[in-house]
Amino acid sequence: GYLMGQLQVGSASFIAGARVEQTDTDFDAYDIVFVDGDAPNPPPQVHGNKKYTNVLPDLLMTWAIRDNLLLRAAWTNTIGRPSYEQNVPFRIFEIEEDDEDVFEGEIEAGNSDLDPLESMNYDAALEWYLEPAGLLSAGVFYKDIDNPIFNRIQVLEDEEFEGRFYSELQIQQFQNANSGEIVGVELGFQQQFTGLPGLLRGLGVSLSYTWTDSEAEVEVLGATRKVPFFLQSEHIGNVALFYELSGLELRLAYAYRSEYLDTIGDTEESDLYVDTHGQLDFKASYQFTKQASAFIQWQNINDEPLRFFSGDRSRLAENEIYSWNMLAGMSFKF
């Protein structure tokens, strides 16, 4: 449920309100234990549930300083629920006997006790609409976050677990961190050069860049650690050249992001990062009629790999090479 009100004061408009959300979840999953490749069939079921209520007030302002110049500001409160895979209490436990009565094991498990991420957000942006058809924008934002969700890998050595002694046992599960903060700046520019003569008037360019500084506080092995916020790159940028005219659309775009933290380990050296990534894509489409169109997409033209490293780039953990892919098709509306 929600309650909302709107107020107009001169060239400024305000929207205030509050939203109340109650989430009630029940889960059933399997606890699958493989011992030297064998598991009971069917495996035992595991049950879980979680119930919580959130009150989310908001205040937004839009001020038309001039006809082509807008100032936007917002104070919002939001939540981010765990995904199904993170929340459902499944367990896949693989056990191999390393020596007589000594085992190695690996556990991947869900967590039905996860709390939703809660974020209080402050945003401000200035938008300048350009002639003949363009936009120049700049914005700043700050997010104060409770219960951020992160992927945790813990390695136990020479310990007893559920009646077996393990020389090494790896446990992977999503957990809640204590808190986090993200502050950033966003810049954007887009312009279609409709003033150019003839067929050139379809040309355009789009640029965007986001810088963030982030931090999260986690509990690892009884100690508090401060790490970069999870899945958050410091630098994100996009450059695109496009052409739009008479039903024809062409777009060549390059997207870049810097490395980000993917998984928390027992030490900083075992934290898993996804490396920097820069990808070139192309898309073309043509609208034959109001009902029929065709398109083609060419993705990852530059064969950019997906790389993971532990702690720093000198410890490469994984390198996945996908090459490029292409998709073409037609669509019809009836």
Side-chain angles (χ1 to χ4, degrees):
Y2 70 93
L3 181 68
M4 185 182 76
Q6 185 169 348
L7 176 66
Q8 188 77 31
V9 181
S11 58
S13 63
F14 299 85
I15 298 176
R19 183 179 184 90
V20 179
E21 295 188 4
Q22 184 179 86
T23 306
D24 191 357
T25 58
D26 289 286
F27 299 104
D28 292 311
Y30 289 111
D31 183 7
I32 306 173
V33 180
F34 293 93
V35 180
D36 292 329
D38 295 324
N41 187 18
Q45 278 198 325
V46 184
H47 307 281
N49 60 79
K50 187 75 172 180
K51 185 175 182 178
Y52 49 88
T53 301
N54 299 92
V55 181
L56 308 169
D58 297 322
L59 176 62
L60 299 90
M61 181 204 74
T62 302
W63 176 24
I65 303 172
R66 298 202 307 260
D67 288 344
N68 63 344
L69 186 63
L70 292 182
L71 174 65
R72 301 183 189 273
W75 169 66
T76 58
N77 291 269
T78 55
I79 63 171
R81 295 180 180 86
S83 70
Y84 176 81
E85 183 180 1
Q86 296 168 355
N87 228 171
V88 69
F90 76 94
R91 189 174 74 156
I92 301 174
F93 191 175
E94 298 186 30
I95 303 170
E96 292 186 1
E97 190 167 9
D98 191 32
D99 202 349
E100 187 175 355
D101 295 329
V102 178
F103 299 86
E104 290 186 0
E106 185 173 324
I107 297 175
E108 181 183 358
N111 186 355
S112 59
D113 290 328
L114 281 175
D115 293 317
L117 173 154
E118 299 177 357
S119 181
M120 183 180 294
N121 317 295
Y122 302 89
D123 298 85
L126 196 63
E127 299 176 354
W128 181 19
Y129 293 86
L130 307 172
E131 295 294 341
L135 172 66
L136 181 63
S137 64
V140 294
F141 58 88
Y142 172 76
K143 301 177 184 294
D144 185 10
I145 301 170
D146 291 325
N147 309 318
I149 298 168
F150 70 100
N151 193 13
R152 171 84 165 96
I153 290 183
Q154 184 178 6
V155 179
L156 305 179
E157 295 182 345
D158 298 328
E159 290 199 20
E160 187 172 318
F161 183 83
E162 295 186 356
R164 290 186 176 93
F165 182 81
Y166 291 87
S167 59
E168 182 176 286
L169 177 61
Q170 178 177 292
I171 304 172
Q172 180 174 348
Q173 186 182 51
F174 284 91
Q175 298 179 3
N176 285 114
N178 296 336
S179 61
E181 292 182 324
I182 303 175
V183 61
V185 176
E186 297 176 308
L187 303 173
F189 171 72
Q190 181 170 318
Q191 179 69 275
Q192 185 169 1
F193 305 108
T194 57
L196 293 176
L199 297 177
L200 295 178
R201 68 184 186 276
L203 286 172
V205 63
S206 176
L207 308 169
S208 67
Y209 170 72
T210 302
W211 168 84
T212 60
D213 184 26
S214 66
E215 184 179 83
E217 187 176 280
V218 298
E219 296 286 339
V220 178
L221 300 179
T224 300
R225 282 177 53 194
K226 291 186 177 181
V227 297
F229 199 85
F230 322 105
L231 310 183
Q232 179 65 58
S233 296
E234 182 178 359
H235 304 283
I236 301 173
N238 295 275
V239 180
L241 299 175
F242 63 87
Y243 185 89
E244 298 179 3
L245 188 67
S246 302
L248 176 65
E249 294 187 12
L250 307 173
R251 186 177 184 87
L252 181 66
Y254 181 78
Y256 170 84
R257 57 153 180 78
S258 59
E259 72 275 6
Y260 62 78
L261 177 61
D262 180 80
T263 303
I264 297 290
D266 290 336
T267 63
E268 291 183 9
E269 289 75 17
S270 61
D271 291 346
L272 189 65
Y273 286 80
V274 179
D275 205 355
T276 57
H277 191 85
Q279 181 170 315
L280 184 67
D281 299 323
F282 174 75
K283 181 179 180 180
S285 65
Y286 185 72
Q287 190 81 34
F288 295 100
T289 66
K290 290 183 178 181
Q291 289 77 33
S293 63
F295 70 91
I296 184 170
Q297 296 178 356
W298 185 11
Q299 298 176 323
N300 197 22
I301 299 171
N302 57 325
D303 291 344
E304 182 76 350
L306 178 62
R307 295 166 57 90
F308 296 79
F309 62 85
S310 298
D312 63 62
R313 289 189 178 87
S314 66
R315 290 187 289 269
L316 180 65
E318 192 170 340
N319 189 41
E320 303 178 10
I321 301 173
Y322 297 99
S323 187
W324 57 268
N325 65 82
M326 188 172 288
L327 177 68
M330 297 190 68
S331 63
F332 301 90
K333 296 180 181 178
F334 301 97

